[in-house]
Amino acid sequence: MVARVFLHIGLPKTGTTYLQGILWENKERLRDEGVVLPGRGHREHLWAALDVQERKHLERRDPRAPGSWERLCAELDATPGGTGVVTHEFFCGAGPAQARRAIERLAPAEVHVVVTARHAAGMLAAGWQEMVKNGSRTDLHAAAAADTRSEFGWRTWDLAGVLERWGDVVPPERLHVLPVPPRTEPPDRHWRNLAGVLGLTGDYPVPEEAANPSLGAVQVELLRRVNAHLGSFSSALDRGRWIRGHLAEGHLADQAGERLALDDDLLADCRLRSRRAVDLIAERGFAVVGDVETLLVPEALAPGRDLGSVTDAELLEAATQVVGGLLEDVRELTVQRDRLREESGPAVPSTVRRAARVLRRRRGD
């Protein structure tokens, strides 16, 4: 069994994709430092996070998803000494009993919980946007008011709630809070903070560009409305690849959009949530790496657009740009398909026709 395990539980939208990308890209380099990242990829840690929460019908995501948590733990059990790292932002949605069982399963290893965090206003704006990028039609106020156990909602966005649930199952010195560094810090500061907690001393290459780009207010509202017409994109794979990946990050993120700003009532609620979290950190004595004051909503926020100010004309302009880009995609794919047909002979067209017939039957055409 590894001697120590660092369980990085999120929160969502706190640079987790960036941090996880560095870890997975350097899996062998981590092993050289005695750090094991169990499993074969990021998706297994996602499944494990849902498995810990006892989510039903995990097999619908992938036949390999059920039992993912136990498989990761078994790999850590079989590793003599050193350090294990498990990381996914959905772990933070676990309830108190689920969190306790997860920590107990990792015994006798010394378990540390790592929470990357940001203030509640940034969390709400970014979290709702992520909902929309994953196919949601829910508007911002409805998302902020919802009482849900989903990974998209205050269950995972509210730092104080997460710290209360997980802070009861490890000693305070083993619960590490890493605020997302401000833009005035070096671009690799977030990674350096995590690497310090994990005890890494090597030089790890970091990406030059941020992962998971944001959308502007106009662009995210357009996507929310388009989602109403994407009912056939019902699987997590479809939503992630086509709505989030191709449409949102592949096209809408390229548009020059203005930052989303919250209405005054949402902002007031976020200020209260952030204050409660910072007070809890001080009261419980959790280990903070960075400036805890950045977890409070600033009095003066960067300028932005509230959704009520978005006009139909702006939505139309953004939509026409997207249609143009998608048409270029279709042209490029068609050229590639035709080239493959010419190079491969008649077998490719017949295969394409058979696939098209199967697709039409599934759709009921």
Side-chain angles (χ1 to χ4, degrees):
M1 178 72 181
V2 292
R4 294 191 303 171
V5 177
F6 287 90
L7 183 57
H8 175 212
I9 66 171
L11 282 46
K13 308 306 298 180
T14 58
T16 53
T17 302
Y18 164 80
L19 297 172
Q20 291 156 359
I22 297 172
L23 290 169
W24 284 109
E25 285 293 323
N26 294 280
K27 184 173 181 178
E28 294 307 313
R29 193 174 304 207
L30 289 171
R31 279 194 177 273
D32 292 340
E33 289 207 53
V35 177
V36 61
L37 194 63
R40 291 176 294 178
H42 169 268
R43 188 168 295 174
E44 287 191 68
H45 288 221
L46 183 158
W47 297 337
L50 300 178
D51 203 11
V52 163
Q53 296 176 61
E54 303 169 287
R55 294 292 184 88
K56 297 180 179 179
H57 309 302
L58 272 183
E59 72 282 354
R60 294 178 183 175
R61 284 182 170 264
D62 191 284
R64 299 166 294 176
S68 296
W69 170 245
E70 180 56 34
R71 289 197 299 273
L72 296 186
C73 291
E75 185 173 339
L76 295 175
D77 288 344
T79 303
T83 298
V85 176
V86 179
T87 170
H88 200 275
E89 56 271 24
F90 289 172
F91 276 108
C92 71
Q98 293 166 342
R100 184 171 298 280
R101 285 195 294 271
I103 299 300
E104 290 173 348
R105 175 58 186 86
L106 295 169
E110 177 185 285
V111 182
H112 295 246
V113 173
V114 181
V115 182
T116 45
R118 65 193 300 183
H119 64 66
M123 182 64 67
L124 174 58
W128 173 73
Q129 181 177 130
E130 195 68 12
M131 284 179 63
V132 175
K133 287 165 71 173
N134 280 276
S136 176
R137 312 170 194 177
T138 304
D139 67 46
L140 179 57
H141 277 81
D147 181 14
T148 175
R149 297 184 68 85
S150 165
E151 54 268 19
F152 298 115
W154 287 119
R155 177 79 174 177
T156 61
W157 300 341
D158 185 58
L159 177 58
V162 172
L163 293 177
E164 285 175 338
R165 295 195 300 274
W166 286 88
D168 287 339
V169 296
V170 292
E173 65 273 14
R174 293 191 204 162
L175 196 154
H176 309 269
V177 181
L178 278 61
V180 174
R183 296 183 183 275
T184 54
E185 292 283 340
D188 65 347
R189 174 60 64 197
H190 203 26
W191 163 249
R192 301 301 173 196
N193 287 346
L194 177 63
V197 170
L198 300 181
L200 301 176
T201 59
D203 185 22
Y204 290 79
V206 298
E208 295 182 1
E209 296 183 2
N212 204 357
S214 296
L215 305 183
V218 172
Q219 288 71 30
V220 70
E221 176 60 14
L222 172 63
L223 181 59
R224 186 183 72 84
R225 299 190 189 192
V226 169
N227 285 341
H229 304 282
L230 300 178
S232 65
F233 292 77
S234 56
S235 72
L237 182 61
D238 264 355
R239 294 192 301 270
R241 182 177 183 181
W242 298 111
I243 301 177
R244 185 176 185 271
H246 190 68
L247 182 54
E249 297 179 1
H251 284 278
L252 286 168
D254 289 339
Q255 296 185 11
E258 297 175 85
R259 172 185 168 275
L260 172 65
L262 301 181
D263 295 341
D264 289 344
D265 59 335
L266 296 179
L267 200 55
D269 179 59
C270 288
R271 291 188 191 283
L272 292 174
R273 290 178 183 272
S274 289
R275 170 49 67 185
R276 180 168 169 258
V278 169
D279 289 347
L280 182 65
I281 291 169
E283 175 188 329
R284 300 285 292 273
F286 298 133
V288 179
V289 181
D291 185 0
V292 72
E293 293 297 312
T294 62
L295 298 177
L296 295 172
V297 180
E299 287 301 319
L301 288 165
R305 290 282 302 277
D306 65 89
L307 295 170
S309 69
V310 172
T311 67
D312 288 344
E314 289 174 312
L315 292 172
L316 178 60
E317 173 61 25
T320 55
Q321 291 183 43
V322 169
V323 170
L326 293 176
L327 186 58
E328 290 178 353
D329 290 347
V330 172
R331 179 181 63 184
E332 181 179 349
L333 290 171
T334 302
V335 168
Q336 292 176 5
R337 181 202 62 188
D338 292 345
R339 185 181 298 119
L340 284 172
R341 284 179 173 177
E342 292 173 0
E343 295 173 354
S344 303
V348 171
S350 63
T351 301
V352 172
R353 285 195 295 272
R354 284 197 297 272
R357 286 197 297 271
V358 170
L359 183 59
R360 285 196 296 271
R361 285 199 296 271
R362 288 178 178 175
R363 291 178 173 175
D365 294 347

